[in-house]
């Protein structure tokens, strides 16, 4: 019985770890695209005709989904906050 509970806890921690890993991956993609957008003038985050915006918006959404799935962990909460602040910064202060 005790072994079964340990296995369930381990599976929960592994799923949380995989959600966080995928969230960090897509967050890194989103951050690198935001840096690229800041370096290239005349391209904004909400300009859907340009390729960087077409990559940045879905990676932001996917990162937010995986962060919400890992919301019980403190890193999931921090990642949600960082992604939201970066998106607001890019909308307000981006080119």
């Amino acid at each position: 019985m005790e072994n079964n509970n340990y296995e369930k806890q381990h599976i929960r921690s592994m799923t949380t770890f995989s959600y966080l890993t995928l969230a960090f991956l897509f967050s890194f993609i989103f951050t690198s695209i935001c840096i690229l957008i800041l370096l290239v003038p005349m391209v904004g985050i909400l300009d859907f005709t340009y390729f960087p915006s077409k990559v940045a918006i879905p990676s932001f959404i996917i990162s937010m989904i995986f962060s919400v799935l890992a919301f019980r962990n403190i890193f999931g909460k921090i990642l949600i906050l960082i992604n939201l602040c970066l998106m607001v910064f890019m909308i307000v202060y981006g080119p």
Side-chain angles (χ1 to χ4, degrees), residues 73-86:
N73 196 334
I74 187 70
F75 294 117
K77 294 174 186 173
I78 291 171
L79 198 59
I80 286 174
L81 184 66
I82 289 172
N83 282 336
L84 287 175
C85 289
L86 184 61

Side-chain angles (χ1 to χ4, degrees), residues 60-80:
F60 168 74
I61 293 170
I62 292 171
S63 176
M64 289 300 291
I65 289 171
F66 283 121
S67 296
V68 168
L69 288 174
F71 191 72
R72 290 184 179 175
N73 196 334
I74 187 70
F75 294 117
K77 294 174 186 173
I78 291 171
L79 198 59
I80 286 174

Side-chain angles (χ1 to χ4, degrees), residues 28-95:
F28 175 73
I29 292 170
F30 175 63
T31 305
S32 60
I33 294 295
C34 286
I35 291 171
L36 177 72
I37 287 174
L38 287 174
L39 293 176
V40 176
M42 304 299 291
V43 175
I45 192 77
L46 298 178
D47 294 336
F48 296 113
T49 57
Y50 297 108
F51 181 72
S53 299
K54 288 181 183 178
V55 174
I57 300 297
S59 65
F60 168 74
I61 293 170
I62 292 171
S63 176
M64 289 300 291
I65 289 171
F66 283 121
S67 296
V68 168
L69 288 174
F71 191 72
R72 290 184 179 175
N73 196 334
I74 187 70
F75 294 117
K77 294 174 186 173
I78 291 171
L79 198 59
I80 286 174
L81 184 66
I82 289 172
N83 282 336
L84 287 175
C85 289
L86 184 61
M87 180 58 98
V88 169
F89 174 78
M90 288 299 294
I91 289 172
V92 173
Y93 294 112

Side-chain angles (χ1 to χ4, degrees), residues 8-20:
K8 287 181 183 179
Q9 181 184 9
H10 186 67
I11 288 173
R12 262 188 255 120
S13 66
M14 288 300 293
T15 55
T16 303
F17 176 75
S18 62
Y19 291 152
L20 281 175

